[in-house]
Amino acid sequence: MENKNVAVLGSTGSIGVNTLAVIGENADKFRVTALSAYENVDLLEKQAREFRPQVVAIYQEELAPELKRRLRDTEMEVASGIEGICRASTLPLTDTVVMAISGSEGLLPALSAIRAGKDLALATKEVMVMAGDLITREAEKKGRIIPIDSEHSAIFQSMAGAGKEDVKRIILTASGGPFYDSDEAQLENASLQEALNHPNWEMGRKITIDCATLMNKGLEVIAARWLFDVEAEKIKVLIHPQSIVHSMVEFVDGSIIAQLSIPDMRLPISYALNYPRRLPNGLPELDLAEVGTLTFQEPDVERFPCLKYGYDALNQGGTMTTVLNAANESAVEAFIEQKISFKNIPQVIREVMDKHQVKEMESLEQVLQVDRWAREEAHRVIETCR
Amino acid sequence: MENKNVAVLGSTGSIGVNTLAVIGENADKFRVTALSAYENVDLLEKQAREFRPQVVAIYQEELAPELKRRLRDTEMEVASGIEGICRASTLPLTDTVVMAISGSEGLLPALSAIRAGKDLALATKEVMVMAGDLITREAEKKGRIIPIDSEHSAIFQSMAGAGKEDVKRIILTASGGPFYDSDEAQLENASLQEALNHPNWEMGRKITIDCATLMNKGLEVIAARWLFDVEAEKIKVLIHPQSIVHSMVEFVDGSIIAQLSIPDMRLPISYALNYPRRLPNGLPELDLAEVGTLTFQEPDVERFPCLKYGYDALNQGGTMTTVLNAANESAVEAFIEQKISFKNIPQVIREVMDKHQVKEMESLEQVLQVDRWAREEAHRVIETCR
């Protein structure tokens, strides 16, 4: 096999760092063509010096001069702003774009990559929540989307070799997060620090809070709808606190195929980069006898309404999932800044959704406009929470 | 799709009856070309009248005249003896032969079917234990083997779409049978009735006793070696009392793919008949939230030495697995006839294995000769147990 040329967008975040770890261990198989970060110039410079990409992009334009200065002894091209990120995502040389930009900022570069015919190794499920309809319509023309999110990767792996018409149902597993066994009063007083204390996974702050509210699973339901072309009623969620079974596919004959592994993002990353082959790695093996017990239960959507809102948005369709995503990002940001309480998060989202007049999803411009509207509405609601 | 022409050998046994149930529910997809039974003339006649095969074969030659008399108003051909069964397994019209003859009697008809270029839907794992080396060498030339045994079907399903070089390990699950939580004294006094009381599966007597001794798993380890072309050290067994995860495949990247379902043989039968597609059926769905808990533990080969003998035979290779299988069949038969105790079963097998001089597996004639020798030795040992 020839080297695969990989652009890593969001390279200084949790997924980005893990992606470069996988690539670093398989230097004979991959070549990094582009790196991008939001603002972490120190780490971006370090990564650029190690992986020698053609383009290094920084989102925050005001940091571009500093990055240029630091890399002036190299031949790398320094790009900046959203145009710079899109430049990094569309380099002719690139085969696969790893989209690891957190949240909705990934939409434009993801769409650009797909339009440029790249394979998209997608960690940013928000992209599919904002504009899954648009993205999949584009991906049908060229390019290919391989999910990196552990749940969607598990579904992708479980479907290998199967026909879509044989699929009866997708079963997404959820750890339940740090509060799954908490009562209403405990949820009411949940602190930021408690919410950031995920039982099984080490991840960025946004996704960790989403796990605590179960909105992460709501977003995954929506992303699964687009990634695997299945209707909402065929997507089920089960609470599985051990995070060993990463998701499952149930077939029309009643047989279920499941993917299991230790919870480590390097596994789905490595799978997405190497698909359809698998690469050995130095990670610990999953010892099921040591794990001993795997448990499953129905999710409690009364205590964790965000999951229900995910289904609601999907069922209303059109621009409603864009609104859900924007309102959630705003609410989580406000919670991280300790402007609102944990219980306020679903309230903010619900209020913004209730104000929105759903429209069919037509264009990127419309999606971005709805996204802006929802964020403004969310900020208005957040002000009333204080 | 055109109708698939299916011969069902061993049609009056548990797998045979379930196979005909699947076929009966999908009369637009399958046509029965041949049926065969050991001695159950009543049920065989009934099945023949319902499914109208071209050939009906009965193993016990002395029952052939009675079967002919009963079917004289039809145009079906009645065959008998091992030649009759082989005639049923090689009809030119047949696409797939379902091999559901219990134990070693399946070897000749299975080999005939493979040599005639048929797809072999194989429930009789003993065939692979007796002569896996021979059978797979023949199957490489023509025909195809699709396992029906629930564990091997699970492995087959979990490997779909994967390359053999990506497989690190096969993990066979075992319910542990009715005695897994029994102590030595209870095992010493285990009665036939207790041994026949399997916690999860309703099956024939031979396989149910094999489950109680864990020899069933030893046989499956050997069959897996040939069915999936993996070495003994890459085959692991885990005790999983719920019989929901039917087996798993671990890949080189540490990811595990598992197949789960309710324990019902109609699922692997239907999969084998329809492979690579899946057929809807009226079976209950697996509700993992209702099941709640799945557990896994290492097997105890001290209390259940038959599993270890399976590995021993495989490691010694050649004709030793033939001996293991023959000695086990003899011992189980003697236990069912209440000639020996439950704890005598492994003793008989071990003694016969210890007396055998391993040779490379060369021919069918040699296999049958070794099989006969081992049965004679086993009977000699059984006499000393009384």
Side-chain angles (χ1 to χ4, degrees), chain A residues 118-386:
Chain A
K118 310 298 183 195
D119 281 352
L120 188 65
L122 182 68
T124 316
K125 63 177 109 28
E126 287 85 347
V127 162
M128 299 306 276
V129 179
M130 282 182 85
D133 199 355
L134 277 185
I135 294 269
T136 46
R137 266 184 266 156
E138 294 285 342
E140 272 165 26
K141 293 177 217 157
K142 24 182 170 164
R144 184 167 69 161
I145 303 175
I146 304 166
I148 282 187
D149 208 33
S150 64
E151 290 81 357
H152 297 121
S153 175
I155 295 163
F156 196 86
Q157 293 181 49
S158 298
M159 274 191 188
K164 189 191 161 292
E165 54 285 6
D166 289 335
V167 174
K168 185 201 275 176
R169 187 179 288 138
I170 279 173
I171 303 172
L172 285 161
T173 55
S175 72
F179 302 135
Y180 203 73
D181 295 321
S182 306
D183 60 24
E184 286 288 345
Q186 288 168 314
L187 280 180
E188 194 75 55
N189 298 312
S191 72
L192 175 60
Q193 208 188 330
E194 287 166 341
L196 286 174
N197 184 25
H198 194 281
N200 306 328
W201 292 96
E202 273 188 51
M203 302 175 292
R205 288 153 76 99
K206 157 73 165 61
I207 186 172
T208 305
I209 303 299
D210 283 345
C211 285
T213 62
L214 254 65
M215 180 52 95
N216 187 46
K217 221 44 56 173
L219 301 178
E220 284 172 13
V221 167
I222 299 168
R225 186 263 169 270
W226 296 110
L227 284 169
F228 305 108
D229 192 18
V230 290
E231 301 84 59
E233 67 266 24
K234 289 186 172 180
I235 307 172
K236 188 180 161 71
V237 171
L238 279 180
I239 302 295
H240 168 53
Q242 297 81 22
S243 295
I244 295 293
V245 177
H246 298 301
S247 279
M248 306 177 242
V249 176
E250 183 175 341
F251 293 94
V252 291
D253 62 358
S255 187
I256 292 178
I257 299 289
Q259 188 264 340
L260 298 75
S261 71
I262 57 165
D264 191 305
M265 286 309 297
R266 283 169 287 181
L267 284 168
I269 291 167
S270 159
Y271 185 81
L273 288 177
N274 285 285
Y275 173 78
R277 298 297 313 278
R278 293 178 185 269
L279 267 187
N281 54 52
L283 297 176
E285 287 181 355
L286 171 60
D287 183 340
L288 277 171
E290 200 187 301
V291 173
T293 303
L294 304 176
T295 64
F296 303 90
Q297 55 180 300
E298 296 287 345
D300 180 347
V301 292
E302 298 307 316
R303 273 187 311 140
F304 297 92
C306 286
L307 174 56
K308 198 164 81 63
Y309 300 165
Y311 280 100
D312 289 349
L314 190 49
N315 285 324
Q316 289 177 69
T319 49
M320 191 54 97
T321 61
T322 314
V323 168
L324 173 94
N325 181 65
N328 179 56
E329 284 194 14
S330 302
V332 170
E333 207 177 286
F335 175 67
I336 289 175
E337 291 166 0
Q338 305 194 284
K339 289 180 185 164
I340 61 173
S341 76
F342 186 73
K343 290 281 282 184
N344 287 149
I345 298 173
Q347 289 161 8
V348 169
I349 297 163
R350 184 76 260 174
E351 278 198 46
V352 178
M353 283 175 73
D354 286 346
K355 281 184 190 158
H356 182 60
Q357 298 273 6
V358 186
K359 292 182 195 73
E360 266 193 56
M361 193 175 287
E362 280 159 2
S363 67
L364 179 63
E365 293 63 37
Q366 176 210 28
V367 167
L368 294 175
Q369 193 191 333
V370 168
D371 179 78
R372 268 195 306 277
W373 172 85
R375 282 167 205 271
E376 282 161 20
E377 279 306 314
H379 285 295
R380 222 161 283 153
V381 181
I382 287 163
E383 288 305 313
T384 69
C385 294
R386 305 185 81 160

Side-chain angles (χ1 to χ4, degrees), chain B residues 222-235:
Chain B
I222 298 168
R225 185 264 170 271
W226 296 109
L227 285 168
F228 305 108
D229 192 17
V230 289
E231 300 84 58
E233 67 266 24
K234 290 184 171 180
I235 307 172

Side-chain angles (χ1 to χ4, degrees), chain B residues 220-268:
Chain B
E220 284 173 13
V221 167
I222 298 168
R225 185 264 170 271
W226 296 109
L227 285 168
F228 305 108
D229 192 17
V230 289
E231 300 84 58
E233 67 266 24
K234 290 184 171 180
I235 307 172
K236 189 181 160 68
V237 171
L238 279 180
I239 301 295
H240 168 53
Q242 297 82 24
S243 295
I244 296 293
V245 177
H246 298 302
S247 279
M248 306 177 242
V249 175
E250 183 175 340
F251 292 96
V252 291
D253 61 357
S255 187
I256 291 178
I257 299 290
Q259 188 263 342
L260 297 78
S261 73
I262 57 165
D264 191 306
M265 285 310 296
R266 283 169 288 183
L267 285 168

